[in-house]
Amino acid sequence: MSLISKSEARKFLIPIAVILVVGILLVLSNRPAVMPNGEKVISNDGDYSASLQQALTLSHDGVAAFNTGQELDRKQKDDVLKAAKILDNMNVYRQEEAAGFFEAGLLYYIVGNSDTALLRIQQSLANSQLIPKVRTEKTQAALEGIIGDAHHILSMMAFDQKDYNRAVTEINEALRHVQRPNIFVARARAELQIADLYLKTQPKSKSDGDLAKKATEAAQDDINTALNLDPNNPMALRLNGLMNH
């Protein structure tokens, strides 16, 4: 037999329900807030630094493979995509940063998401036009590097679309800001494609042959420049071997 009547028991239902709800809210409130993509919300500089380190670690092998012209394996692609999403969260916290948007754009491009990559690269270039609170020779050099690398990625997107003239235009802009071996190699690749198009022109004319020869010579000059900057650059060595086999 119950020691508490039904009417008395009902008195305890609401207080117990309230306690349960409060308890659940307290548990949930202790969980870290997350973004729609499932990543933790970055709310302070400490979180930002930790997230940056995590993104760098995750993307290291994939970016290294990409920079040497190698195909990424499945794990590398998955890690690079995870790193890109972490960078997206970082960019919510620091929306004025050019570097963060560029790095995210690069990673999205590496995994084949060109549409998202383009948006991030465009935002990076827009942010690069903002006047920093403190501008030093070091920060200006870093900014020039970001702008140059951003145009390098845009040139690769144009190359993928077989718009080789636009690819060369983007690389020319990149080289106004920074000179890296792989950028010269990228221009050489585009120049060789342009030369090939002239050679395939029907009917052929002497001017087509001359333009093809000029583009091929320009490509060789760019490869030589890349090798002068880095004699062991794998992409330059590979392209040089193909041209002179």
Side-chain angles (χ1 to χ4, degrees), residues 169-187:
T169 298
E170 290 290 355
I171 294 170
N172 290 341
E173 182 63 25
L175 290 172
R176 288 183 57 245
H177 299 277
V178 65
Q179 297 193 343
R180 306 194 199 282
N182 282 359
I183 299 179
F184 284 101
V185 173
R187 187 165 67 180

Side-chain angles (χ1 to χ4, degrees), residues 4-13:
I4 303 176
S5 67
K6 290 183 179 179
S7 60
E8 289 176 325
R10 280 195 291 269
K11 296 178 183 178
F12 292 95
L13 290 179

Side-chain angles (χ1 to χ4, degrees), residues 159-174:
F159 187 95
D160 294 341
Q161 297 168 358
K162 303 186 187 309
D163 189 345
Y164 305 119
N165 286 306
R166 184 162 64 87
V168 170
T169 298
E170 290 290 355
I171 294 170
N172 290 341
E173 182 63 25

